[in-house]
Structures are given as structure tokens and as C-alpha cells.
Amino acid sequence: MKVDTIIINIGQAATMASGGKAKIAGQMNDAGIIANAGIAIKDGRILNIGPSAEIEQKYQWDEAIDAKGRILTPGFVDSHTHPVFVHTREDEFAMRIAGKSYVEISLAGGGIRSSIQSSRDASVEELVELSLPRIQKMIALGTTTLEAKSGYGLSTQSELKQLKAIAELAKILPIDIIATFMGAHEYPIEYENDHEGYLKILIDEMIPAVKEQGIAEFCDIFTEAHVFSIEESRWVLRAAREHGLKLKMHADEIIPIGGAELAAEMGCISADHLGAASDNGIMALKAAGVIPTLLPATLFSLAAKTYARGRFMIDSGLPVAIATDYNPGSCNCDSMPLTMSLACLQMGLTPIEALSAATINAACALDRGDQVGSLEIGKLADIIIWDIPSLNFIPYHLGSSHIVKVLKRGRCIFKAQ
Ligand code: NIG
Ligand code: FE
């Protein structure tokens, strides 16, 4: 049989195989390694994976990639990012070093609100042009599936504009980009004293318009003491669910107000952050099958003293995922490998658990466990070819890249110089 591409002489293929399901407990520490492997790729998908010699014998091909004994992993799935904005906010980073907290900076007019006017003023084209190089950097760092949120418009028209920019980026860039509507990222300043007014716009205007335009798959909300309360979040999430949007939450990032419990009650696909989540909240997530998506780079960038309890969650049987949370304020980190390092160092994950969290479990957090996140027959051929001596090397070398090639749907989309 003729295929498009074969990859031969793979020293180790870390398949992260799971049958499409999120990995839990001891499974997270199993990379599903096939030594001396080969992969046959047809129509962008993995047609076969097995011993290199067998693959070479069984198929004819248009293109052969000799992996020269290298290590392969699935491409990273970054399931939580905010890449569409106008200006960066490095001065807030300096303010945090000088002792101000993220919430203090937000309440003093910085934070998300300081990103709104420039996003409202920008055209779709400008937003696309500014976001493109940001996402290209992520691709060079191995990300092959990306979730991107709106949330810097906070008016019906400008939220739709941000989602339009995300749709354009998805057309232009060679990776899968999945859009999340996040009109509930913050209360815009003009509704500071009229939360009900903004909630009405979210529920009566924005969510129906997003649904009608089919421009987002998920709805997310920043549930936190200084932003959306539990009650307010419940209203928004209910409306989103009624309109057929899948749910995500920024939950219990800083103060444990019951965000995790609400994520369980609402049947969210993932609850993200969870830096301060209570034991009850964590157990509620487990019972409801919600994926805890931990964002260690955010807490690192906020100079947090404590981190989400990743070790405890894995030991308790939860399918932990990790993501960058790339955004202009709390966390300007585009690197999944660095996020893995921080998950290991600050949350106690093993390197292989961190890899599971960054690939197959993250795919499940985007409801794509059957499509991406592992090297298994039928899945997209989204692959990273590494120049590393072992998988532990990925989080071990902090902030440096050892990626030789990134393939998306079997095609090379990045090659190191
Ligand atoms: O995930 N938590 C809410 N949103 C971002 C922060 C965005 C910003 O500061 O601009 C986050 O941390
Ligand atoms: Fe976020």
C-alpha cells in the first residue's frame, strides 16, 4: 500500500497511548514507548505505528523521514491561552517584582482592563498581524493544537471581532486553533457598578451571537473574588450551556471561593488554574469527570508562594493537564516545555506525568482525546522530533529548545536551523 510519508529509525516513540481517554494515576507515568519504531502516515493521520523494519517493508511512500535514532513525542496541546491582544504589559511584571500583587494591580486600573481599549480600537487585520508571530513562536516550541480565548473586548462587537481574528489565525496557521468565548473575563470599567447590566449583555446578546455565528466551541469565565462571583458565574455558564457551548472555567486561581465545586456542578470539560482549590473542590472535580488544567507558569510569573496541588491531584486519581496560559498580563509564557519544567519543579509531577499532562490529557481538556495528544492509529500525525538523550531531558533543560522538527498532519511546519 502507498502512503504519503513514513518515519523510520525512531529510537523511541513516546506514544502516550491511552485509547483516547485521559490518563490517570500510574498511567500518567507511562509514556507508552515503542523502541526502534516506524510510523506510516496517510492523509495526515497515523495509519500504522510499529517496528521500523516492519513499517518500511509493508508500505511504499512518497516521502521518507529518517529519524536517525531520535526520540519522538506527540505535538503539544496548549489548551489555555489568551494570544489575541494589542500591547504587552511588561511594566506590570516589574510592579509585581516591586511587591504589588496581581489583584492590587488589577484593582488600580491595570490588569485585564488595561488591555481593553487598545483591543477595541484594533481591526481584525491588526489583531491577526499582532497575534501571528506569537503563535509562530509556540509552533517552534512544539505546539500543534492551540486553544485561544477572546476576552479583551468585553463588548458584543469587540468580542466577536476577537473571535473573528482567532478564526482568521486558524485559517492562516498550519495548526489547529480552537476558539473559546471569554466575554466574562472581567467587568468592563463602564459596568463596574452595574454587574447586572453586563451580565444581561453577556447572556442576552453575546452568547446568542457567538452561537449564531458558530464562532467559538467553548465558553470560559474568570470566577474569582475580584471578578465574577459563584452566583454570577452560574448564570453565565448556564446560558452558555443552553446555547450548546462547552464549558471551561478559570477557577480558584487565587482565593478558594468554590470555583472547582461550580465547575463540577456545571459539567465543565475543564477547570483551570486551581491554585487555591479546596479538597472538597478537587474531589468534586474527580466525581464529575472535570479535567483539572494546571497553569504553573502563571503562578511562577505571579511569584506565588504556593502552587496548585498537582501531585495530590494525580495521587487522588484526577487526570491532570497543563497549559501555558499565555497572556499579556499574568503570564507571558509561550513554552510548553518550560511549563513542563515548572509542573515538575513546583507541583511535583514527574517528567513523564508532565508530558502526559501536556499532550493526551490536554487533548481531552479540549474534547479532542480521539484526535490528538498521542501517537496512535487513526489520530492526526502531529509529531515532535527531538534531539535529546531521554524524555527526562525535556523539562530538565530549562527554557531551551531541543526540537529538530514539528509535524502537523504529517507535514513539516517547523524545522530547526
Ligand atoms: O488566565 N485569569 C484570567 N486571565 C488571565 C490573565 C489575563 C490578563 O492579565 O490579561 C489568566 O491569568
Ligand atoms: Fe487564563
Side-chain angles (χ1 to χ4, degrees), residues 80-82 149 182 185 220 250 253 273 295 298 325-327 330:
H80 181 140
T81 80
H82 310 249
K149 304 177 197 293
M182 201 172 175
H185 200 187
D220 195 348
H250 284 57
E253 175 181 356
H273 281 296
L295 311 170
T298 308
D325 193 21
Y326 177 81
N327 73 70
S330 61

Side-chain angles (χ1 to χ4, degrees), residues 11-331:
Q12 286 187 354
T15 65
M16 313 316 286
S18 73
K21 289 207 211 55
K23 283 174 178 271
I24 55 166
Q27 298 164 356
M28 286 192 73
N29 221 2
D30 178 1
I33 288 177
I34 306 178
N36 305 316
I39 300 177
I41 299 167
K42 193 167 167 56
D43 300 327
R45 290 184 186 268
I46 297 174
L47 182 74
N48 202 348
I49 176 163
S52 182
E54 237 170 66
I55 296 288
E56 211 176 332
Q57 222 167 51
K58 207 162 173 180
Y59 300 100
Q60 293 144 320
W61 54 86
D62 283 334
E63 184 200 13
I65 299 174
D66 185 349
K68 297 184 181 143
R70 292 203 155 112
I71 290 179
L72 266 63
T73 67
F76 290 120
V77 178
D78 194 348
S79 67
H80 181 140
T81 80
H82 310 249
V84 181
F85 56 86
V86 174
H87 63 276
T88 53
R89 305 205 318 254
E90 55 277 19
D91 292 351
E92 287 183 18
F93 180 83
M95 284 162 81
R96 290 201 295 273
I97 307 297
K100 289 254 178 300
S101 77
Y102 178 76
V103 174
E104 281 168 345
I105 295 168
S106 298
L107 294 175
I112 294 165
R113 278 188 181 151
S114 66
S115 287
I116 302 307
Q117 197 54 50
S118 55
S119 302
R120 286 182 179 173
D121 291 343
S123 65
V124 172
E125 294 71 30
E126 282 163 340
L127 290 174
V128 168
E129 197 178 316
L130 287 162
S131 308
L132 259 178
R134 296 175 189 143
I135 301 176
Q136 272 155 347
K137 284 205 173 109
M138 295 173 176
I139 293 172
L141 291 164
T143 296
T144 50
T145 301
L146 180 76
E147 183 259 17
K149 304 177 197 293
S150 69
Y152 292 115
L154 308 187
S155 71
T156 305
Q157 197 214 350
S158 47
E159 282 296 311
L160 290 171
K161 182 176 65 184
Q162 273 209 293
L163 291 170
K164 184 118 197 288
I166 293 170
E168 285 299 311
L169 289 160
K171 273 193 227 149
I172 298 168
L173 287 161
I175 60 169
D176 290 316
I177 301 182
I178 295 148
T180 294
F181 164 66
M182 201 172 175
H185 200 187
E186 170 62 288
Y187 284 98
I189 191 84
E190 60 275 22
Y191 285 95
E192 192 171 16
N193 299 312
D194 181 14
H195 284 192
E196 220 170 282
Y198 189 62
L199 288 167
K200 220 168 140 33
I201 293 175
L202 274 167
I203 292 167
D204 295 344
E205 270 185 47
M206 291 193 200
I207 290 173
V210 166
K211 184 62 198 170
E212 196 194 299
Q213 297 194 13
I215 204 160
E217 183 172 329
F218 291 91
C219 176
D220 195 348
I221 185 162
F222 194 4
T223 302
E224 193 65 39
H226 72 290
V227 208
F228 290 85
S229 70
I230 292 292
E231 188 84 331
E232 293 165 348
S233 302
R234 189 182 280 114
W235 289 329
V236 174
L237 290 167
R238 265 202 195 135
R241 195 171 61 185
E242 275 163 22
H243 282 81
L245 293 169
K246 301 173 196 170
L247 307 182
K248 287 182 168 288
M249 279 177 71
H250 284 57
D252 297 333
E253 175 181 356
I254 304 160
I255 300 175
I257 61 168
E261 288 87 338
L262 182 65
E265 175 193 321
M266 296 305 299
C268 289
I269 292 203
S270 73
D272 300 26
H273 281 296
L274 302 171
S278 68
D279 285 5
N280 267 348
I282 291 170
M283 290 313 149
L285 294 179
K286 182 183 176 186
V290 181
I291 297 194
T293 297
L294 310 184
L295 311 170
T298 308
L299 293 159
F300 187 66
S301 181
L302 294 178
K305 302 255 177 325
T306 55
Y307 282 75
R309 289 178 289 155
R311 181 74 265 142
F312 172 72
M313 291 181 198
I314 293 176
D315 292 342
S316 304
L318 281 88
V320 167
I322 56 173
T324 60
D325 193 21
Y326 177 81
N327 73 70
S330 61
C331 183

